[in-house]
Amino acid sequence: MKNTLNPVWQTFSIPVRALCNGDYDRTIKVEVYDWDRDGSHDFIGEFTTSYRELARGQSQFNIYEGGVSVHPAGQGQVINPKKKMKKKKYVNSGTVTLLSFAVESECTFLDYIKGGTQINFTVAIDFTASNGNPSQSTSLHYMSPYQLNAYALALTAVGEIIQHYDSDKMFPALGFGAKLPPDGRVSHEFPLNGNQENPSCCGIDGILDAYHRSLRTVQLYGPTNFAPVVTHVARSAAAVQDGSQYSVLLIITDGVISDMAQTKEAIVNAAKLPMSIIIIGVGQAEFDAMVELDGDDVRISSRGKLAERDIVQFVPFRDYVDRTGNHVLSMARLARDVLAEIPDQLVSYMKAQGIRPRPPPAAPTHSPPKSPARTPPESPLHI
């Protein structure tokens, strides 16, 4: 603390294992320095304590005079050994008083899942003309009878894992950047199954079927706008904010984003909701804007407002194409990296809102034994 001889330090957090590795009586030494601009900070003194002493909170037991707690059982000691040796009348170089102490158990992603939190998975697929004519083999949307295209591979890799965290297996699937029949209007938020009232598809296979049907009925067009699908999912996320549901939007795209300002604003607004966004870039385009949206290095902002938390994860699909043709291994790597941030993002939302995991449902009594419920498989989400 600068420019004061009576500092009051801000609250900080530290894992108990880092503080004392679970040994409540382990000695903890705190050193105090006088800050100097040139880095040659002057040592003022030190005191020792322990987790057990700190846990008593603000009291006479946590006043450190001369570096040692001065409660009746303690013995006052000089905190600066050099000064003690030089000055016979030296008592101490100040007093440190504990103002607050609290221990909080850290909840995990699986604590929330076991407590019933559902992952609502939504897919948004890029139908802009830059993908190429779906009937030609050079198109990113080409439907080969022998193998899945990049869109289908990416969707399957992520969806096959995340589907296990949604009990009803009904997933909204949207498209953007296409002209729709019969009037040829351009839409950036259309249901792949053609049902405006209910865009949900049954399972990953249902999404793939709706995707293939859409390729045969819509006209690829443009531009590449993300904001409508982000806002679509944000509306659903905003409807339930009690911790029972968490939305994940997967956007698969080939191009440079056209509505960057609007998308940033939509993401900043969504950052305060129970929601995460995954973006997978397919093809060979430059994805610099997607990296910016990712927010790992610099948190994104809109109109001077900073996003409350990082909710976007971007990966380029081309980094996961296995030259040997081993799609199983390369798609497993894709899913792992794409989903790696979801658990922490979910927990960060719950923590910010003060939402604790609900206790797991109790086993029913006086009923015939049932086979154990199928738990989600070991996956990238089990972190």
Side-chain angles (χ1 to χ4, degrees), residues 12-20 28 51 54 101-104 106:
F12 65 94
S13 300
I14 184 171
V16 172
R17 65 178 178 275
L19 188 68
C20 64
I28 298 166
Y51 174 94
L54 292 171
F101 181 90
V103 182
E104 299 178 359
E106 289 289 331

Side-chain angles (χ1 to χ4, degrees), residues 236-355:
S236 299
V240 183
Q241 301 185 50
D242 62 358
S244 63
Q245 298 183 31
Y246 191 88
S247 297
V248 176
L249 168 62
L250 170 63
I251 300 175
I252 311 177
T253 181
D254 85 307
V256 178
I257 187 169
S258 305
D259 63 340
M260 190 65 170
Q262 294 89 337
T263 296
K264 279 186 174 182
E265 184 172 6
I267 290 172
V268 168
N269 292 334
K272 60 180 179 286
L273 300 173
M275 175 177 169
S276 289
I277 301 169
I278 298 165
I279 304 173
I280 298 180
V282 297
Q284 300 304 314
E286 292 297 325
F287 293 114
D288 293 349
M290 307 305 176
V291 175
E292 183 180 348
L293 293 179
D294 193 301
D296 280 346
D297 298 323
V298 179
R299 187 75 56 84
I300 73 165
S301 60
S302 172
R303 301 174 187 266
K305 182 180 178 182
L306 203 64
E308 290 186 11
R309 57 195 184 94
D310 173 22
I311 64 168
V312 180
Q313 169 75 339
F314 167 74
V315 298
F317 184 83
R318 56 177 173 254
D319 290 355
Y320 299 85
V321 176
D322 193 311
R323 307 300 178 191
T324 65
N326 187 341
H327 289 311
V328 174
L329 184 60
S330 57
M331 290 307 98
R333 286 176 49 241
L334 172 71
R336 178 194 65 196
D337 291 355
V338 160
L339 297 172
E341 294 185 7
I342 298 296
D344 284 345
Q345 290 175 0
L346 182 148
V347 171
S348 73
Y349 169 79
M350 300 295 188
K351 191 172 181 179
Q353 301 300 315
I355 299 172

Side-chain angles (χ1 to χ4, degrees), residues 25 47-77 95-98:
D25 295 308
F47 65 86
T48 59
T49 183
S50 68
Y51 174 94
R52 195 178 300 282
E53 283 190 359
L54 292 171
R56 298 182 181 189
Q58 184 180 13
S59 67
Q60 74 272 23
F61 296 103
N62 277 308
I63 299 175
Y64 298 91
E65 182 179 294
V68 173
S69 176
V70 295
H71 59 80
Q75 294 181 352
Q77 291 187 16
T95 301
V96 174
T97 302
L98 178 69

Side-chain angles (χ1 to χ4, degrees), residues 78-116:
V78 176
I79 62 172
N80 193 323
K82 290 182 179 180
K83 288 188 177 182
K84 183 181 179 182
M85 290 173 64
K86 292 179 180 179
K87 300 179 181 180
K88 291 182 180 180
K89 294 184 179 181
Y90 177 77
V91 177
N92 63 58
S93 296
T95 301
V96 174
T97 302
L98 178 69
L99 298 179
S100 65
F101 181 90
V103 182
E104 299 178 359
S105 58
E106 289 289 331
C107 302
T108 68
F109 171 74
L110 281 185
D111 289 332
Y112 289 100
I113 296 300
K114 290 174 182 176

